[in-house]
Amino acid sequence: LSSTDGRHKELRTAMRRAQSPLVPYLAITLNELITLSQALATHVEKDLINFTKMRRFTKISTTALQYQKDPYNFTFVPEVTKILLCTELPGDQDALYKFVDSIIEKPTLSPNASPYRSYNNHVIAT
């Protein structure tokens, strides 16, 4: 999907077939908007607006926004919220891992318990 041959043709096709909600690859959208902005003049013949350019801007923007028409169905996870809302994260990787471990509540395992737990149908190592 990430091949640049044919201006990301495979990625564009996959995005058209995908169901909303979807986070579009914004580099493609921004590249199209910048290219359009540079290629066509905003005004033609003195003060006349170039409506061809404006229609293309609208089409590109509408295409990107169509993926956002449905709400995301996120599951609230308090530990993730704590991490995302933290404004002062440790500088190095080891300290960051220790910080995250201090926030995440780890279950106490009995001697016969599995070292894995299930969360929203995903198996997570504890």
Side-chain angles (χ1 to χ4, degrees):
L1 288 178
S2 62
S3 172
T4 58
D5 296 343
R7 296 181 48 221
H8 300 281
K9 182 179 178 181
E10 292 177 16
L11 180 60
R12 291 171 192 269
T13 302
M15 287 173 51
R16 275 194 297 276
R17 292 180 182 162
Q19 293 181 359
S20 181
L22 168 76
V23 178
Y25 184 52
L26 292 178
I28 294 174
T29 303
L30 294 174
N31 186 36
E32 288 176 345
L33 291 172
I34 290 169
T35 302
L36 178 62
S37 176
Q38 294 173 346
L40 296 175
T42 304
H43 294 91
V44 291
E45 296 181 23
K46 295 187 180 181
D47 294 332
L48 299 178
I49 296 173
N50 186 348
F51 282 103
T52 302
K53 179 178 181 177
M54 298 306 146
R55 283 188 201 104
R56 289 183 186 173
F57 263 119
T58 302
K59 183 178 179 180
I60 294 167
S61 302
T62 304
T63 301
L65 291 173
Q66 79 178 357
Y67 301 120
Q68 306 297 309
K69 64 182 177 184
D70 297 325
Y72 289 94
N73 188 16
F74 290 122
T75 303
F76 177 74
V77 180
E79 293 89 356
V80 173
T81 303
K82 287 179 188 177
I83 293 168
L84 292 175
L85 293 177
C86 182
T87 57
E88 295 180 18
L89 293 175
D92 66 344
Q93 187 173 353
D94 291 333
L96 183 59
Y97 278 118
K98 288 177 185 176
F99 171 75
V100 171
D101 284 341
S102 71
I103 290 178
I104 296 175
E105 298 174 16
K106 295 193 176 202
T108 306
L109 296 176
S110 64
N112 298 329
S114 169
Y116 301 98
R117 63 185 169 117
S118 176
Y119 186 79
N120 285 349
N121 298 324
H122 298 286
V123 177
I124 302 171
T126 54

